[in-house]
């Protein structure tokens, strides 16, 4: 039963939404309602095996757990991008690579998000199985572990050997500040289970009387009266209705959060008028200037008789502006229905200068918007990626014992995306910033955005660990009287 009012309504039970819901409902005097468009589960044991299994990413074309968005990576490359639509969000279906943003990444964030200030929260979210000390947590909800070198898939092992032979240093802990090199991937996997923020944070507290989690319910508009958010309109099994809210937190992910703001009249006023939406509050940066990681995948063939994979990515090489990802299985085996028959090496541009935008559909702005990535529009991005692909193919050809001789096929490679979309409702205090440093929408009281939308730019590593840290810190701020409106 969905209540008519809650002190806090959280739109989206994804990676950030689950963390916020668990931590904000910790105060028994605060009622919290989570609205999740996808499926919800009544307990951890209700989560189906295909979502738990860390060896598989259930994001293929037939997936029940994702929404697909049309995407234009470059003028020549169109594709479809999947994002999680289930409790746990994209983090419930992702690659389980749980790596922190680097200290330098926080240079683009407001001063209150310096590396020194976020480190205690990176520690608080995790229990690291491999490291202790000042950099790591030992009692947080998310379990983090690495596959030891001697238990890695032969491909990962041989790739790390080849990188070291080529002069790269071996990095024991990719979650520690330090030099580039090759190292084992920190993963939020325990006993083969991908431990999403639903499983880690929310499932253990679902029986709280002040917490309601409603699945299959989509928010269609934030209701604003004057300059204050006062509720959320929903479409659900019981038809459309309005829930009133003390505060509204939008955590619908980097595509849906800016879309929801725009559908609510909050965004670039000229664009909203063109779409037939009455502008309530002109915020030109909504949906604009996003960043993500371009990823070029180089196909090749394994030598026969290699064992099956357990985790899709066990080791990576970082060098300057690139991450090389030797995936341990063909995407056809790890992503049901994706149909990519050969294994690939992913070459990721970690610091991209090109920026994209979310384009709402003029026929019906409620439909999935176009993600216009504008990848490689900056010539420097193209140059670094092209050089990186040549270097990566060379290294792959020297990964002895597992790569079939002569099978590395750069010409057969494809440009894709790492699915790390960030910055569609950017944090800051300039004209294009959408939220302030504490994630409050500028100019509207009682309304916040807390998800990867608010990152000033995509971190140079995967965003998941940083997203969980962000939500954990914002909710902690609320509990300790920091400037957060709940
Ligand atoms: C296939 C895939 C693999 C990835 N692999 C990795 C990885 O290995 N490592 C890494 O660091 N990052 C990875 N990422 C990225 C990372 O998972 C995401 O950046 C992160 O989970 C985003 O968290 P979020 O809270 O911003 O949004 P999400 O987790 O996407 O949550 C948004 C939630 O809001 C819900 N929602 C949307 N609109 C509405 C609405 N109107 N009403 C109600 N609910 C709504 C959605 O259903 C969803 O559950 C991957 C992403 C994908 C898709």
């Amino acid at each position: 039963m969905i209540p008519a009012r809650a002190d806090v309504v959280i739109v989206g039970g994804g990676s950030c939404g689950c963390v916020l819901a668990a931590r904000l409902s910790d105060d028994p005097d605060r009622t919290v309602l989570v609205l999740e468009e996808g499926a919800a589960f009544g307990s951890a044991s209700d989560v189906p095996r295909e979502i738990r299994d860390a060896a598989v990413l259930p994001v293929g074309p037939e997936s029940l757990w994702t929404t697909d968005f049309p995407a234009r990576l470059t003028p020549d490359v169109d594709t479809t991008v999947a994002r999680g639509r289930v409790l746990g969000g994209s983090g419930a279906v992702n690659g389980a690579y749980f790596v922190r943003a680097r200290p330098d990444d926080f240079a683009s964030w407001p001063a209150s998000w310096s590396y020194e200030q976020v480190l205690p929260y990176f520690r608080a979210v995790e229990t690291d199985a491999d490291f202790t000390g000042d950099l790591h947590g030992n009692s947080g909800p998310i379990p983090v572990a690495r596959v030891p070198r001697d238990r890695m898939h032969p491909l990962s092992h041989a790739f790390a050997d080849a990188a070291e032979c080529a002069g790269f240093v071996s990095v024991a802990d990719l979650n520690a500040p330090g030099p580039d090199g090759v190292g084992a991937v920190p993963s939020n996997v325990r006993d083969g289970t991908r431990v999403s923020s639903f499983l880690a944070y929310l499932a253990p507290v679902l029986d709280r009387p002040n917490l309601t989690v409603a699945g299959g319910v989509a928010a269609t508009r934030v209701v604003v009266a004057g300059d204050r958010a006062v509720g959320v309109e929903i479409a659900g099994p019981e038809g459309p209705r309005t829930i009133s809210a003390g505060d509204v937190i939008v955590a619908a992910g980097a595509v849906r959060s800016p879309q929801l703001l725009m559908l609510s009249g909050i965004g670039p006023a000229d664009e909203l008028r063109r779409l037939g939406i009455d502008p309530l509050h002109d915020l030109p940066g909504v949906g604009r200037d996003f960043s993500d990681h371009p990823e070029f995948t180089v196909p090749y063939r394994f030598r026969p008789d290699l064992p099956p994979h357990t985790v899709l990515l066990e080791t990576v090489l970082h060098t300057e502006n690139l991450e090389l990802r030797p995936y341990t299985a063909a995407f056809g085996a790890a992503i049901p229905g994706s149909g990519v028959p050969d294994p690939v090496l992913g070459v990721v541009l970690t610091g991209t200068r090109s920026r994209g935008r979310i384009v709402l559909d003029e026929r019906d702005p409620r439909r999935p918007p176009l993600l216009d990535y504008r990848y490689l529009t900056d010539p420097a991005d193209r140059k670094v990626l092209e050089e990186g692909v040549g270097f990566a193919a060379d290294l792959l050809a020297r990964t002895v014992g597992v790569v079939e001789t002569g099978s590395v096929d750069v010409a057969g490679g494809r440009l894709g995306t790492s699915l790390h979309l960030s910055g569609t409702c950017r944090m800051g205090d300039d004209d294009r910033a959408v939220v302030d440093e504490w994630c409050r929408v500028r100019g509207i009281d009682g309304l916040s955005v807390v998800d990867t939308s608010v990152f000033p730019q995509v971190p140079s590593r995967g965003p998941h660990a940083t997203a969980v840290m962000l939500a954990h810190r914002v909710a902690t701020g609320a509990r300790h009287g920091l400037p957060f409106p709940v």
Side-chain angles (χ1 to χ4, degrees):
M1 184 71 179
I2 303 175
R5 183 190 182 281
D7 295 330
V8 182
V9 175
I10 299 171
V11 177
S15 299
C16 291
C18 287
V19 175
L20 293 162
R23 293 191 60 74
L24 292 173
S25 63
D26 197 28
D27 176 350
D29 294 331
R30 178 190 285 133
T31 54
V32 175
L33 168 64
V34 181
L35 305 171
E36 168 51 47
E37 186 175 19
F41 309 110
S43 69
S45 54
D46 291 345
V47 177
R49 193 180 133 70
E50 64 175 297
I51 292 186
R52 292 171 163 271
D53 185 357
V56 174
L57 277 65
V59 298
E62 304 296 317
S63 174
L64 299 174
W65 318 109
T66 55
T67 307
D68 285 342
F69 296 94
R72 174 154 301 157
L73 301 183
T74 68
D76 305 324
V77 184
D78 286 344
T79 188
T80 300
V81 161
R83 296 186 60 90
R85 188 187 57 203
V86 61
L87 220 43
S90 300
V93 297
N94 75 4
Y97 176 10
F98 203 76
V99 64
R100 300 173 181 176
R102 307 289 293 164
D104 287 355
D105 288 320
F106 292 99
S108 63
W109 292 55
S112 44
W113 294 87
S114 68
Y115 178 70
E116 289 67 32
Q117 295 194 63
V118 300
L119 181 59
Y121 299 94
F122 273 130
R123 296 183 60 200
V125 307
E126 69 170 18
T127 293
D128 193 302
D130 304 316
F131 294 97
T132 51
D134 293 347
L135 291 177
H136 286 290
N138 57 17
S139 57
I142 305 264
V144 178
R146 298 143 193 85
V147 178
R149 183 87 157 244
D150 59 353
R151 295 222 313 265
M152 281 181 181
H153 187 273
L155 170 73
S156 313
H157 202 296
F159 179 85
D161 287 348
E164 285 171 19
C165 274
F168 292 98
V169 296
S170 168
V171 178
D173 180 9
L174 293 177
N175 273 340
D180 280 352
V182 62
V185 160
S187 296
N188 51 313
V189 173
R190 185 174 46 209
D191 301 331
T193 292
R194 176 192 298 108
V195 183
S196 66
S197 62
F198 170 67
L199 287 173
Y201 278 82
L202 196 55
V205 302
L206 279 173
D207 59 355
R208 285 180 181 159
N210 58 328
L211 170 68
T212 307
V213 179
V217 181
T220 51
R221 195 167 70 94
V222 177
V223 183
V224 177
D227 57 5
R228 186 172 180 87
V230 295
V232 173
E233 257 177 32
I234 60 168
E238 299 156 17
R241 58 181 273 215
T242 300
I243 313 286
S244 60
D247 285 281
V248 176
I249 304 180
V250 178
V255 179
R256 289 292 199 196
S257 288
Q259 182 181 24
L260 185 63
L261 292 191
M262 288 193 269
L263 291 174
S264 311
I266 301 166
D270 47 352
E271 175 86 358
L272 297 183
R273 271 190 215 99
R274 201 178 58 76
L275 292 160
I277 301 169
D278 265 348
L280 290 181
H281 182 54
D282 184 19
L283 276 180
V286 175
R288 304 265 172 91
D289 304 328
F290 74 67
S291 46
D292 196 336
H293 294 139
E295 179 165 352
F296 190 90
T297 47
V298 180
Y300 63 98
R301 285 191 307 281
F302 284 152
R303 291 208 169 154
D305 306 326
L306 291 186
H309 73 290
T310 49
V311 177
L312 186 58
L313 189 60
E314 295 172 329
T315 188
V316 288
L317 169 64
H318 292 126
T319 168
E320 296 180 1
N321 209 358
L322 294 170
E323 178 175 86
L324 270 51
R325 306 173 144 207
Y327 293 109
T328 55
F331 285 174
I335 304 175
S338 67
V340 182
D342 287 323
V344 292
L345 176 74
V347 184
V348 178
L349 187 61
T350 53
T352 163
R353 298 182 190 197
S354 306
R355 293 289 180 267
R357 55 185 293 203
I358 306 284
V359 183
L360 298 198
D361 189 331
E362 354 187 287
R363 291 163 299 174
D364 181 352
R366 293 167 301 182
R367 291 172 59 161
L370 172 75
L371 315 184
D372 184 14
Y373 277 84
R374 298 166 49 84
Y375 270 162
L376 313 183
T377 40
D378 189 301
D381 285 355
R382 183 175 290 276
K383 184 165 181 285
V384 174
L385 192 60
E386 278 174 4
E387 287 172 1
V389 168
F391 157 71
D394 237 35
L395 191 61
L396 187 61
R398 281 185 275 135
T399 299
V400 287
V402 289
V403 174
E404 212 167 83
T405 312
S407 71
V408 176
D409 176 19
V410 172
R414 289 175 47 178
L415 179 68
T417 172
S418 297
L419 304 167
H420 294 163
L421 200 79
S422 302
T424 48
C425 301
R426 202 164 49 72
M427 190 191 267
D429 57 9
D430 58 287
D431 290 350
R432 301 276 273 204
V434 174
V435 298
D436 71 10
E437 62 179 335
W438 298 110
C439 300
R440 298 172 295 190
V441 173
R442 297 169 72 217
I444 305 278
D445 289 339
L447 179 62
S448 306
V449 179
V450 183
D451 59 25
T452 58
S453 312
V454 306
F455 291 2
Q457 62 186 40
V458 66
S460 58
R461 303 291 183 262
H464 194 213
T466 306
V468 172
M469 178 281 290
L470 170 96
H472 189 108
R473 186 177 188 206
V474 169
T476 305
R479 298 195 318 172
H480 293 168
L482 281 179
F484 187 74
V486 288

